[in-house]
Amino acid sequence: MSLPQPPPSLVDLATAILQAATTLQDHLATHHLPQPDLSPTSRHDYLDILANPTATSARAALIETTRSLLHLAQGPTDLLRSIVLSDRTAVAVLRAIHALKIAEAVPLHTPISLDALATSLGVHPIPLSRMLRFAYTLRIFHEPDNMPNYVAHTALSAAIPGFDPYIWLTLSDTTQVQLAAYTFPLALRRWPTSPMALTDPRGRDWWTILQEDDPEGKGMDRFSAAMTTSLRGLHGAGNAYLLEGFDWAGLGSGTVVDVGGGSGHNAVAVAKAFPRLRVVVQDLPKNESLAVSNFEASGLMDEGWKGCKPEFQAQDFFSPQPGELRPKVYLLSRILHDWSDEDALRILTHLIPAMKKHGTRLLLVERVLPDRCGDIPLYQETQLRALDLLMYTTFGGGCERSASQWEQLLRRADAGLGIMEIRSRVGSELSMLEAGFCEEQGAVLQRAVAATSSEQPKL
Ligand SMILES: C[S@@+](CC[C@H](N)C(=O)[O-])C[C@H]1O[C@@H](n2cnc3c(N)ncnc32)[C@H](O)[C@@H]1O
């Protein structure tokens, strides 16, 4: 019988940190990849190690163990103080830096005086200086040596403009995401699925608020840009995770319907890589111009393009699907997580007739929550759970789901519908869930799901 292990000590954790840091640093050196530093031209991400499981795991261990060490070194009281004081202030200051476009106003390579910066922004220099002094403690900008009252970029501040659309989505007034998060206590008492009405006196859903409240009427375009930014941060430019995660070539010249395809970035990637496929983006009419301009910008509408041209079809996914499409695949990328189980079932209901008739596969690009605590590093789970709560507070009751919850949702949509495979790339937050009406393969996956799940499903 094995004895319970004592919890890791400070030195155990520091030793593990050293090991993980050495593995990661050696990998970067061996592959002639840049080492991280705090300068504005330093790496902004680790996308260049995604393909290497050893380096990716070492980085995950480094982050996880460092968090554990910090936890022990700070102790509960200091940690709570950080959360309510400095972490909260950090969000407020980042929001102000974003709203005032401070990162764009500071030259990338040359320090700027505080006075010149304040003048260019049209703000008062003294509170600006106080706010930046707080930001410096987070390594967002810094005061260069021997240059008092000058501001210069760091790696973190230099990364802000590239991340702008996602900061807008999560922190701006228009989107109400921040506001919604503060409704938790009341929401938990009153709303099992959707507290959105708490923040909006007119009871509008988030998509309506997004479009109606944007001062320039470009909420949807901004949202689509935020989606692209968040994906790029996870996977880099291009949609390799999507192209490699499914046998698109096996569909021959069939039709792929990208349900809620938004700006069409997934459709463009698939159509370019597999020119024989007919790719149809379905979304609300307000997305048409954005999707079509992306089709045009990608060159797929040019005379010289010999493959199929992608198409846009205005289609509400809560309405029956047009019968003439006869799709081989319904692609739903980051759609169902926006919706409660009941709404997700309504969406699925409209796909099932064609799936039964034409053997259409359902391809979900979604996050898969761990069924058990500890299945993935806690820092990764923190991100996923934050998104899950964002779905609850913002998207009218949406939620991230675990593998067993996905399986149950599909079974509720139709007893014969099941997940056939879940493919995840190392280091990726998103998985590809392939589903269909194939009993035999469905049974295979049910076993796989059962093997990783001990949690009671919520349905
Ligand atoms: C989270 S985005 C995902 C976009 C895209 N599939 C992706 O992965 O980037 C959700 C999409 O659902 C669309 N949508 C929302 N309600 C819809 C409805 N009732 N019918 C069709 N599309 C809808 C939105 O316009 C948006 O493009």
Side-chain angles (χ1 to χ4, degrees):
M1 194 180 78
S2 63
L3 294 170
Q5 296 291 312
S9 67
L10 290 171
V11 172
D12 291 339
L13 290 169
T15 309
I17 288 173
L18 181 62
Q19 282 168 356
T22 306
T23 306
L24 179 58
Q25 186 165 306
D26 287 354
H27 172 87
L28 298 176
T30 312
H31 293 82
H32 308 290
L33 296 171
Q35 298 289 344
D37 62 54
L38 299 180
S39 70
T41 48
S42 174
R43 57 165 63 247
H44 283 186
D45 53 56
Y46 280 88
L47 295 170
D48 52 3
I49 65 164
L50 271 189
N52 186 293
T54 310
T56 306
S57 306
R59 178 170 172 259
L62 181 58
I63 298 171
E64 191 57 37
T65 325
T66 306
R67 281 177 99 216
S68 302
L69 183 63
L70 194 62
H71 196 118
L72 292 191
Q74 277 196 290
T77 308
D78 259 5
L79 206 48
L80 286 172
R81 204 162 175 274
S82 299
I83 292 171
V84 297
L85 197 58
S86 44
D87 292 358
R88 185 183 53 78
T89 310
V91 172
V93 165
L94 183 57
R95 188 169 173 275
I97 289 171
H98 169 262
L100 295 169
K101 300 253 168 269
I102 301 181
E104 289 81 349
V106 174
L108 189 59
H109 300 292
T110 325
I112 181 171
S113 78
L114 261 170
D115 283 342
L117 181 62
T119 305
S120 80
L121 297 169
V123 301
H124 293 286
I126 292 174
L128 174 68
S129 154
R130 291 167 66 184
M131 195 182 78
L132 287 177
R133 292 242 161 213
F134 174 83
Y136 298 166
T137 68
L138 306 175
R139 301 188 176 87
I140 300 177
F141 305 107
H142 75 126
E143 187 177 81
D145 290 345
N146 305 320
M147 294 184 80
N149 295 321
Y150 272 73
V151 186
H153 266 299
T154 58
L156 195 47
S157 59
I160 290 173
F163 207 59
D164 180 285
Y166 202 68
I167 299 175
W168 168 83
L169 176 66
T170 47
L171 299 184
S172 86
D173 280 345
T174 319
T175 62
Q176 302 197 15
V177 167
Q178 271 293 96
L179 211 57
Y182 277 92
T183 61
F184 270 139
L186 193 55
L188 260 57
R189 282 194 198 102
R190 288 203 197 159
W191 275 270
T193 56
S194 171
M196 197 58 209
L198 278 175
T199 56
D200 187 57
R202 286 152 63 194
R204 295 168 301 166
D205 74 13
W206 192 80
W207 300 105
T208 311
I209 293 170
L210 181 71
Q211 196 63 10
E212 289 183 355
D213 290 3
D214 189 77
E216 295 164 33
K218 290 197 167 159
M220 201 61 228
D221 292 6
R222 291 204 163 102
F223 174 77
S224 293
M227 289 297 94
T228 311
T229 306
S230 80
L231 264 189
R232 205 182 298 130
L234 293 172
H235 301 283
N239 299 48
Y241 72 96
L242 179 74
L243 302 180
E244 292 165 12
F246 182 72
D247 178 19
W248 298 101
L251 301 178
S253 56
T255 299
V256 174
V257 180
D258 186 1
V259 179
S263 65
H265 66 98
N266 281 329
V268 165
V270 172
K272 259 191 180 168
F274 302 94
R276 294 177 64 209
L277 288 175
R278 177 183 177 208
V279 185
V280 180
V281 171
Q282 290 183 340
D283 209 292
L284 299 173
K286 62 190 172 207
N287 261 335
E288 177 161 10
S289 59
L290 181 67
V292 170
S293 62
N294 282 337
F295 295 163
E296 285 163 358
S298 68
L300 292 173
M301 309 308 270
D302 294 354
E303 289 276 304
W305 171 250
K306 296 286 176 258
C308 275
K309 292 181 175 24
E311 299 158 46
F312 183 91
Q313 188 173 61
Q315 168 72 21
D316 182 337
F317 47 49
F318 290 113
S319 304
Q321 278 286 326
E324 77 282 356
L325 284 174
R326 306 165 67 89
K328 286 264 171 78
V329 164
Y330 281 128
L331 170 65
L332 276 76
S333 165
R334 301 186 293 174
I335 297 299
L336 296 183
H337 78 151
D338 289 343
W339 302 95
S340 66
D341 287 343
E342 299 315 318
D343 285 334
L345 288 170
R346 283 168 60 213
I347 295 171
L348 290 169
T349 304
H350 294 301
L351 309 180
I352 285 172
M355 292 183 70
K356 282 188 169 161
K357 195 165 172 192
H358 309 297
T360 312
R361 285 286 150 80
L362 182 64
L363 200 52
L364 306 178
V365 179
E366 292 283 0
R367 293 169 180 90
V368 178
L369 292 177
D371 273 312
R372 282 177 311 211
C373 198
D375 277 352
I376 61 171
L378 269 188
Y379 86 92
Q380 286 172 353
E381 188 170 343
T382 306
Q383 302 277 14
L384 295 180
R385 299 276 170 201
L387 280 162
D388 180 42
L389 294 178
L390 187 142
M391 297 303 142
Y392 168 67
T393 48
T394 308
F395 288 95
C399 59
E400 304 297 342
R401 296 172 172 93
S402 68
S404 55
Q405 289 168 335
W406 280 116
E407 180 71 12
Q408 297 223 6
L409 181 72
L410 295 178
R411 292 267 176 231
R412 269 185 77 191
D414 191 292
L417 185 60
I419 302 177
M420 289 142 77
E421 204 171 333
I422 300 181
R423 298 181 205 97
S424 310
R425 274 181 126 213
V426 181
S428 171
E429 242 183 38
L430 288 170
S431 298
M432 307 265 287
L433 296 91
E434 187 177 338
F437 280 93
C438 180
E439 277 309 314
E440 202 182 314
Q441 283 167 301
V444 170
L445 186 85
Q446 269 197 310
R447 281 202 298 278
V449 168
T452 59
S453 161
S454 64
E455 183 190 85
Q456 281 302 310
K458 75 182 174 99
L459 296 169

